[in-house]
Amino acid sequence: MERNQHNSGRLKRCTAALVTGLLLLMLPGAGPRNRLQDFASDGCSMFPDGNRITGDDWCLCCLDHDLAYWRGGTEKERLAADERLKRCIAERTGDALLAQAIFTGVRIGGSPHFPTWYRWGYGWIYGRGYRPLSKAEELLVEKKLSAFRNSRADIACDTRF
């Protein structure tokens, strides 16, 4: 009987430690959510990178937008990134309707709450949401961007449609 009580107490302590550990991993800024994937861009996700007929090319606008989305941050930062994309496309194409359509698309589809590869903060493990970057995270972003720039990685905007 004593042995069973001893094993039962051990099991309870192990279970409590496991549950505590799992809860700590779910705290903001804890565990694997602080890992940042290498930067990658597919150009204008789910939208053409340009217009073959007119020759308009807005892929570099999307690359800048992808950098912001990869990095993530606050809801206000996301809105600013989306507005920059809209302005850039309007400037490059002279087409305010196209710029508005793309803006509307990213506002609807780019939420950090969707488990997609093009969501706000896609460089981080899913579940980060809208959260400002810490100083350590800012340094990691700069380190990853520096490595990306030095790698001469192939990106969608390097190829013409």
Side-chain angles (χ1 to χ4, degrees):
M1 178 92 165
E2 274 184 42
R3 184 176 182 158
N4 284 343
Q5 286 177 339
H6 177 73
N7 286 341
S8 175
R10 176 185 265 172
L11 179 61
K12 287 179 183 177
R13 286 190 303 276
C14 287
T15 301
L18 178 63
V19 168
T20 301
L22 290 173
L23 289 173
L24 287 173
L25 283 175
M26 292 168 45
L27 289 173
R33 290 184 186 182
N34 271 353
R35 285 199 323 254
L36 180 62
Q37 307 300 317
D38 291 342
F39 175 70
S41 173
D42 62 356
C44 301
S45 306
M46 304 195 55
F47 199 83
D49 294 341
N51 183 326
R52 290 178 190 239
I53 296 169
T54 64
D56 289 338
D57 178 3
W58 51 82
C59 189
L60 289 176
C61 301
C62 296
L63 177 62
D64 177 61
H65 190 251
D66 281 356
L67 282 167
Y69 264 57
W70 166 78
R71 176 192 180 280
T74 66
E75 193 168 5
K76 185 177 179 181
E77 289 171 311
R78 177 178 171 224
L79 178 59
D82 293 345
E83 288 172 341
R84 275 193 316 273
L85 174 67
K86 180 181 174 181
R87 275 192 311 276
C88 182
I89 290 171
E91 288 168 5
R92 290 183 73 89
T93 66
D95 190 337
L97 188 58
L98 172 68
Q100 182 61 47
I102 293 173
F103 175 80
T104 301
V106 297
R107 293 305 300 162
I108 292 170
S111 169
H113 307 298
F114 299 145
T116 59
W117 77 91
Y118 51 82
R119 72 180 184 280
W120 177 252
Y122 71 83
W124 305 98
I125 302 298
Y126 174 72
R128 180 181 176 86
Y130 293 114
R131 199 162 30 121
L133 273 63
S134 68
K135 294 287 184 197
E137 290 167 335
E138 291 277 2
L139 290 172
L140 183 56
V141 164
E142 288 307 314
K143 181 179 175 184
K144 293 273 187 175
L145 283 180
S146 178
F148 173 76
R149 289 180 184 116
N150 292 333
S151 74
R152 299 182 174 260
D154 185 33
I155 57 171
C157 294
D158 283 347
T159 58
R160 292 292 159 183
F161 47 89

